[in-house]
Amino acid sequence: MAPYSLPPDAVWFITGCSTGIGNELVSYLTTNTSSRVVATARNPSSLSSLPTTPNTLKLALDVTSESSIRAALTATLQKWSRIDVLVNNAGYGLLADTEGVPMSQAHSIMETNFFGAALLTQLTLPIFRDNNPTSGQQGGVVLQVTSMGGRLAFPGNAFYHASKFALEGFTEAVSKEMPEEWNIHFCCIEPGGVKTNYISTSTAQGGEVPHPAYTDPKLPTNQIRVYKSSPEATRNWAEAGDVVRAMYEIVRNGAGSEGEIPLRLPLGSDSWGMQKLGLEKGLRDLEDVKGVSLKTSGKEQLESIRFLKV
């Protein structure tokens, strides 16, 4: 697909702007660019610290409510007639041993982290395709803020990973449905550790008292808890400002020699490095099972699906 040309007056629609990456991205765009920004949060009073300018629209948005999503998109189109960049940033973590997580908590994190982003993506695609050309701009960009936890899984985070893996798979499939002439681009933003309030206020704990079998401090989930609570361990995490600058630059300039927006963008040496290790291990594991795998069919089965994009 050809590179995307970001208009100087691009309209950015961003979810989860009360704190963290969303808040930092709104501040960066309003301070350093001529973009128009829709800053959203479940409670709009939490956006009071953000700049108030003619190019900023602050809206209430509950990503678990379809009526709230539709109302926010309608308000945006009424003001600026288009949306150029959708940033699905709203989300939270859930740290607990899987056995002790009530299904109500599992459903809740999927509703916020996956289904909210999926519905916003669905409803924004026709805006990119049909509304934007009337304003002289074809297509648009969807940034899905997943994390390296959308590609790799760690103990104590099973339902968080389920939500982020789901969003990554959803995004890859949708990206392959888009005709090139629609000029619609997708990128999964995959940060590693970032210095925000994610650990302290944006990560829920399992709703039940841990079973005695899980109290040993040497168990994996407990080691993760210690790591995330250690100032020394998190001291070298990425600054949120560096993350949002990278997000803006990937939309504005793309990556590689062709300047295309990549489907996935690891951010931070931890995300890039851990993903590289994971892919290398995956290739070794794939070779280990090759003999068993290829016993079940001949090469014709592979040839029959080569038309699919990888």
Side-chain angles (χ1 to χ4, degrees):
M1 184 174 287
Y4 179 74
S5 179
L6 182 69
D9 62 347
V11 178
W12 293 65
F13 187 103
I14 308 169
T15 69
C17 297
S18 59
T19 59
I21 289 174
N23 188 278
E24 192 77 25
L25 180 58
V26 173
S27 296
Y28 178 81
L29 292 171
T30 54
T31 303
N32 297 282
T33 78
S34 54
S35 299
R36 294 171 288 179
V37 183
V38 184
T40 71
R42 187 189 298 264
N43 180 1
S45 65
S46 65
L47 304 174
S48 59
S49 64
L50 291 170
T52 299
T53 74
N55 282 347
T56 307
L57 176 63
K58 300 177 183 179
L59 296 175
L61 174 61
D62 177 356
V63 298
T64 68
S65 164
E66 181 170 345
S67 61
S68 178
I69 288 173
R70 289 184 180 275
L73 292 174
T74 297
T76 300
L77 294 179
Q78 287 174 343
K79 185 171 180 64
W80 285 317
S81 301
R82 73 177 203 251
I83 296 171
D84 299 292
V85 185
L86 167 65
V87 184
N88 280 316
N89 170 70
Y92 65 95
L94 176 59
L95 179 59
D97 287 298
T98 304
E99 184 180 325
V101 177
M103 281 296 107
S104 59
Q105 274 195 305
H107 282 280
S108 293
I109 196 169
M110 291 298 295
E111 287 291 337
T112 297
N113 290 9
F114 173 66
F115 285 109
L119 180 57
L120 271 159
T121 301
Q122 265 191 333
L123 296 178
T124 304
L125 292 178
I127 296 173
F128 289 164
R129 184 188 62 238
D130 303 329
N131 289 66
N132 288 5
T134 65
S135 301
Q137 179 66 22
Q138 178 74 30
V141 180
V142 179
L143 299 183
Q144 313 281 33
V145 181
T146 60
S147 85
M148 72 173 174
R151 298 283 275 170
L152 301 168
F154 303 98
N157 294 270
F159 291 106
Y160 171 77
H161 290 305
S163 69
K164 295 301 188 179
F165 271 57
L167 186 55
E168 292 249 352
F170 168 86
T171 303
E172 181 173 338
V174 176
S175 72
K176 293 175 179 179
E177 296 173 5
M178 300 293 102
E180 186 168 347
E181 59 268 23
W182 289 4
N183 194 31
I184 298 176
H185 304 253
F186 297 81
C187 183
C188 293
I189 304 296
E190 301 169 335
V194 182
K195 294 177 183 176
T196 66
N197 64 348
Y198 175 80
I199 294 175
S200 58
T201 63
S202 297
T203 299
Q205 303 295 319
E208 297 182 356
V209 176
H211 188 280
Y214 290 98
T215 57
D216 187 338
K218 296 191 295 295
L219 290 178
T221 299
N222 295 328
Q223 291 181 340
I224 289 285
R225 286 193 178 97
V226 171
Y227 168 76
K228 288 188 172 182
S229 64
S230 166
E232 183 62 27
T234 58
R235 182 170 57 87
N236 293 318
W237 283 11
E239 298 290 343
D242 293 334
V243 170
V244 303
R245 280 189 289 273
M247 292 169 64
Y248 177 74
E249 287 303 319
I250 207 67
V251 176
R252 184 183 179 195
N253 298 320
S257 59
E258 301 298 321
E260 295 182 5
I261 296 176
L263 178 61
R264 293 182 170 90
L265 179 65
L267 290 178
S269 58
D270 51 355
S271 181
W272 190 92
M274 291 295 287
Q275 289 198 49
K276 183 174 185 291
L277 289 173
L279 289 168
E280 290 170 345
K281 183 180 186 303
L283 284 173
R284 292 195 300 270
D285 292 346
L286 196 60
E287 286 297 322
D288 287 344
V289 300
K290 182 178 180 180
V292 177
S293 298
L294 300 188
K295 286 180 180 178
T296 62
S297 71
K299 65 179 181 180
E300 293 79 12
Q301 184 178 11
L302 173 59
E303 295 300 328
S304 72
I305 62 168
R306 284 197 183 275
F307 71 95
L308 296 172
K309 296 179 181 178
V310 177

